Amino acid sequence: QVQLVESGGGPVQAGGSLRLSCTVSGVTDIPYYMTWFRQAPGKEREGIGRLITRNGVTSIADSVKGRFTISQDNAKKILYLQMNSLKPEDTAMYYCAARERPWRSGRWDDGDQYNIWGQGTQVTVSS
């Protein structure tokens, strides 16, 4: 059974950087579609970016484009989210999600497209 465990969150000052990790276990290969989401208190869940792990194609939300990047280490089965130039509005719980089934239709940032979720890691950006 696939499990996802996020790590790397914590407090950081505005303008700083963090790298989040999502470690995959329970499978031989990292799932085909891996995505980072975040949710701040009182706000809707927001898709940050998706990585198609077999070809490296990424989709990044406009709100973080140019500041956040997604990468993977297939050997270690880890998905990364590098976050630079952090802003107070980036404060949220960050989750990674995976989809094992073929992608038929729908937006990559629709959380209902994913069937496996981690427990989240908190990122707090102070001004």
Side-chain angles (χ1 to χ4, degrees):
Q1 183 172 347
V2 183
Q3 291 187 320
L4 308 177
V5 178
E6 301 94 335
S7 60
V12 62
Q13 290 193 330
S17 297
L18 280 177
R19 188 178 75 164
L20 305 184
S21 300
C22 173
T23 302
V24 182
S25 63
V27 287
T28 302
D29 297 313
I30 197 168
Y32 202 94
Y33 302 100
M34 297 287 297
T35 298
W36 286 99
F37 288 86
R38 68 184 180 186
Q39 188 164 20
K43 292 190 177 181
E44 297 284 323
R45 181 174 56 197
E46 178 187 15
I48 299 302
R50 182 189 72 176
L51 174 66
I52 301 176
T53 59
R54 295 301 182 266
N55 59 22
V57 173
T58 59
S59 302
I60 303 293
D62 289 342
S63 60
V64 302
K65 196 168 290 183
R67 299 190 297 124
F68 291 11
T69 56
I70 298 176
S71 62
Q72 60 180 327
D73 183 327
N74 281 332
K76 296 180 180 179
K77 292 184 286 187
I78 299 176
L79 179 75
Y80 297 106
L81 178 66
Q82 179 66 45
M83 306 186 295
N84 298 327
S85 302
L86 283 162
K87 305 175 182 179
E89 51 263 44
D90 294 319
T91 295
M93 185 72 81
Y94 284 71
Y95 301 89
C96 66
R99 177 185 172 107
E100 299 174 288
R101 304 183 302 273
W103 201 281
R104 302 297 185 195
S105 63
R107 293 174 58 90
W108 66 264
D109 56 351
D110 177 0
D112 291 338
Q113 297 283 355
Y114 302 88
N115 60 313
I116 305 164
W117 292 80
Q119 83 291 346
T121 186
Q122 177 69 36
V123 172
T124 303
V125 185
S126 59
S127 57

